[in-house]
Amino acid sequence: MLEFEIVKNEKHSKARLGRLKLARGVLDTPVFMPVGTTGCVKTLYHETVRNIGYQLILANTYHLHLQPGEEVLDSFGGIHNFSSWDRNILTDSGGFQVFSLSNLRKIKDEGVTFHSHIDGSIHKFTPESVVRTQGIIGSNIAMCLDVCSDPKVTRKDAVRHMEVTHDWASRSLAELGKLRNDGGKAPDNLFGIIQGAFCEDLRKQSAEYISSLPFDGIAIGGLSVGESHEDFIRYLSYTVNYVDNSRPLYVMGIGSPLYMLKAVENGIDMFDCVQPTRVARHGLLYTKDGVMNITKAKYRNDTHPISDGCSCTLCRNYSRGYLRHLFKAGETFAGTLASEHNLTFFYDFMRNVRESIEQDRFLEFEREFLDNFRTSPL
Ligand SMILES: [Zn+2]
């Protein structure tokens, strides 16, 4: 079982501080994980990601399965050797990418068949194959294959998706046990995923079922899939009432400060999102006052750094005007600088979140942060 210690529960909310012990380092939670889809965080050296302070990044099973594929990863002894990233890796199951990237897919009880978004070739994921692939990757935290419903799903389909997800959850655990017994390559830890779309009774049923299984951690899936902000908060706060919260809780794919704060408020320990690095490559930079679009003309002669007090390479060395110039000139260096800045912002943000929990003033911190972040047009 995964070593997870709840260090402190905040007095006025469900927010909590935890410590997660993984094979390649100990993490303080709540924690944000940058996304390194194919085994690297786009445009950044591993050293940069590590030096910011990140101990855990996320890689995508779907992408790694398509390229370089299990055979190459196996020959290198897993992703850590292959990529030289020496800290922890969480891999998603590929389920979400199958549903979002592959427009031709067929869900059956045994698994899902889909066309590669790269060359159209046909592939099949089963709950068992996905656990095996994550074992070959050498994942420190693996996720079960699940069926993620569209926000507009009919109730009949939502029930079916949940039932298939539950069946796949127990089959994933069985496969993990088998790999361990046979001395095969098994991921270090396995998290189950709650589904149930936007139906309270299904959410409750799914939370209780997944909590009844011996997973190392629990993810609340099927959120942040295009629903309203109110629905995100409503279904998240409803679902956590029925989850075994002695284990780490994870909400997948959320990366806006608002959603992250709402997740922390509800006792969530982990989240990931591609957003900070994706928008960085388009010239959008996070600051405590909001998101700055550095490509705007008003920054042309601006000699200030992006953020006073930020410790990233960009803010220590370069002006807004120079960064704007790099974006305008199409220099890839611009994306590198902006990505490091945004990941530094999120790291500092999470450290401030943890400090506010420590001091029992999380709700105050949340309110102040959001007031500042929303009201200042940049
Ligand atoms: Zn910076």
Side-chain angles (χ1 to χ4, degrees):
M1 205 73 180
L2 179 61
E3 278 190 73
F4 177 64
E5 182 195 349
I6 295 166
V7 178
K8 183 190 164 72
N9 288 300
E10 208 252 0
K11 272 189 187 152
H12 314 288
S13 69
K14 289 184 176 148
R16 65 216 195 138
L17 292 179
R19 194 156 293 143
L20 189 58
K21 285 185 188 156
L22 297 172
R24 291 169 180 263
V26 179
L27 312 173
D28 291 320
T29 63
V31 67
F32 174 76
M33 297 176 276
V35 175
T37 299
T38 59
C40 83
V41 178
K42 281 196 197 329
T43 77
L44 295 179
Y45 287 113
H46 292 330
E47 286 77 4
T48 307
V49 178
R50 207 167 47 215
N51 288 342
I52 295 170
Y54 289 108
Q55 300 283 327
L56 173 61
I57 64 170
L58 182 143
N60 296 112
T61 300
Y62 169 89
H63 292 276
L64 290 171
H65 162 79
L66 293 180
Q67 59 184 15
E70 287 83 344
E71 184 266 322
V72 171
L73 288 164
D74 204 15
S75 72
F76 277 84
I79 189 93
H80 293 93
N81 281 348
F82 184 53
S83 71
S84 296
W85 168 256
D86 61 359
R87 304 300 161 98
N88 297 289
I89 288 204
L90 180 150
T91 42
D92 64 6
S93 65
F96 184 74
Q97 279 75 26
V98 167
F99 301 111
S100 61
L101 290 177
S102 174
N103 50 6
L104 292 163
R105 60 182 156 82
K106 223 175 189 144
I107 309 162
K108 292 193 167 172
D109 288 344
E110 78 261 25
V112 55
T113 309
F114 58 95
H115 287 238
S116 157
H117 74 288
I118 301 167
D119 60 9
S121 56
I122 296 172
H123 297 256
K124 185 177 176 183
F125 276 168
T126 66
E128 291 85 2
S129 78
V130 159
V131 170
R132 286 195 299 272
T133 296
Q134 292 178 92
I136 289 167
I137 292 171
S139 182
N140 302 105
I141 297 178
M143 305 300 298
C144 286
L145 188 65
D146 64 328
V147 185
C148 185
S149 304
D150 190 86
K152 294 188 188 81
V153 70
T154 61
R155 183 176 167 88
K156 191 171 159 242
D157 281 343
V159 170
R160 174 167 146 69
H161 292 168
M162 182 192 71
E163 286 171 352
V164 172
T165 297
H166 291 178
D167 176 45
W168 289 1
S170 47
R171 281 168 54 189
S172 304
L173 281 166
E175 184 65 18
L176 181 69
K178 203 167 132 229
L179 283 173
R180 284 181 178 159
N181 280 338
D182 300 348
K185 287 182 178 163
D188 293 351
N189 298 287
L190 183 64
F191 281 23
I193 306 178
I194 294 165
Q195 288 293 343
F198 297 94
C199 310
E200 287 190 345
D201 59 328
L202 301 185
R203 282 266 155 200
K204 177 173 184 282
Q205 196 183 330
S206 191
E208 288 174 345
Y209 181 74
I210 297 297
S211 295
S212 75
L213 298 175
F215 286 114
D216 297 291
I218 296 169
I220 297 164
L223 291 176
S224 193
V225 289
E227 75 280 13
S228 69
H229 164 222
E230 289 74 21
D231 276 349
F232 170 80
I233 296 172
R234 178 179 157 199
Y235 286 94
L236 174 65
S237 56
Y238 181 81
T239 307
V240 294
N241 293 327
Y242 304 98
V243 178
D244 169 15
N245 65 4
S246 66
R247 287 175 268 184
L249 304 181
Y250 171 26
V251 176
M252 310 168 81
I254 57 165
S256 82
L258 170 67
Y259 276 42
M260 289 161 76
L261 288 166
K262 290 298 167 196
V264 170
E265 191 183 325
N266 283 288
I268 303 302
D269 308 294
M270 304 165 68
F271 14 81
D272 73 280
C273 195
V274 78
Q275 182 82 349
T277 42
R278 178 177 287 160
V279 302
R281 299 195 298 278
H282 298 283
L284 298 176
L285 290 105
Y286 283 82
T287 79
K288 65 177 175 40
D289 303 315
V291 179
M292 173 188 281
N293 182 350
I294 199 65
T295 63
K296 283 186 179 172
K298 66 176 177 178
Y299 299 118
R300 199 162 161 256
N301 302 98
D302 194 330
T303 58
H304 297 92
I306 298 294
S307 298
D308 285 322
C310 174
S311 62
C312 83
T313 308
L314 173 62
C315 294
R316 279 188 291 110
N317 297 287
Y318 306 107
S319 64
R320 293 174 180 180
Y322 180 61
L323 183 65
R324 176 177 185 273
H325 158 70
L326 292 177
F327 271 110
K328 287 288 168 192
E331 292 292 350
T332 54
F333 185 39
T336 298
L337 288 170
S339 297
E340 184 193 338
H341 169 82
N342 280 356
L343 287 188
T344 305
F345 174 88
F346 274 79
Y347 189 81
D348 292 344
F349 171 64
M350 291 313 301
R351 192 172 44 209
N352 292 337
V353 164
R354 291 194 298 269
E355 204 176 277
S356 75
I357 298 172
E358 177 67 49
Q359 297 166 353
D360 289 316
R361 53 168 191 89
F362 171 73
L363 293 175
E364 207 181 310
F365 171 83
E366 181 182 32
R367 198 171 47 242
E368 281 169 13
F369 183 91
L370 291 176
D371 281 352
N372 220 2
F373 196 74
R374 280 177 181 168
T375 51
S376 307
L378 291 170

